[in-house]
Amino acid sequence: MWKEFKAFISRGNVVDLAVAVVIGATFGAIVKSLVDDVIMPPVGLLTGQINFSDQFMVLRDGAAAPPPYLTLGDAVEAGAVTLNYGQFLNTIVTFVIVALAVFALVRVMGRLMPPPPAPASTTRPCPECLTAIPKAAKRCSACTSEVAPVV
């Protein structure tokens, strides 16, 4: 069992996948920081100094402290049930940025990769009627003329 596991782990695909997961997680953290720390603060200033990560709606008051709750942290500490639409908006912006980055990466990789070879043709035109016939055919199926097979 250990040998099978070692063979599985040492495959190139598994190592590539592990590297992709680690890089993807790191990239996700970078994009989250970009959204939370760089993009959303100016957007908040443009919309009247709103901190989107603190935008929430109280669904049920908490037992530990009465409303109003000034921040999401205050509501959570009080045990209130909240709908955190500001954090959801931040997550959507993060997703869009990651999706655009992955799309750009796939496009660049697609341009760098050589085009796949054209499939070899298995047919040829009949010399009499120009109908496509198999290369090994001795007679055309359309006009029934005899043709020399091509091997």
Side-chain angles (χ1 to χ4, degrees), residues 132-145:
I133 59 173
K135 286 186 175 182
K138 296 180 183 177
R139 189 173 293 273
C140 176
S141 61
C143 68
T144 68
S145 64

Side-chain angles (χ1 to χ4, degrees), residues 65-145:
Y69 308 111
L70 300 178
T71 65
L72 180 59
D74 293 343
V76 169
E77 274 184 35
V81 178
T82 58
L83 181 71
N84 306 327
Y85 60 87
Q87 289 182 346
F88 181 68
L89 180 64
N90 284 354
T91 303
I92 288 174
V93 172
T94 301
F95 169 77
V96 169
I97 291 173
V98 169
L100 285 171
V102 169
F103 173 74
L105 179 68
V106 168
R107 278 192 73 181
V108 167
M109 292 303 295
R111 289 182 181 163
L112 293 177
M113 300 298 289
S121 176
T122 60
T123 62
R124 63 186 168 121
C126 170
E128 296 294 323
C129 67
L130 300 179
T131 302
I133 59 173
K135 286 186 175 182
K138 296 180 183 177
R139 189 173 293 273
C140 176
S141 61
C143 68
T144 68
S145 64

Side-chain angles (χ1 to χ4, degrees), residues 7-27:
F8 172 75
I9 282 297
S10 62
R11 278 188 189 160
N13 294 351
V14 174
V15 174
D16 292 344
L17 180 62
V19 169
V21 167
V22 169
I23 289 175
T26 305
F27 181 70

Side-chain angles (χ1 to χ4, degrees), residues 55-71:
Q55 295 302 304
F56 63 97
M57 181 187 326
V58 176
L59 300 176
R60 185 175 40 163
D61 293 336
Y69 308 111
L70 300 178
T71 65

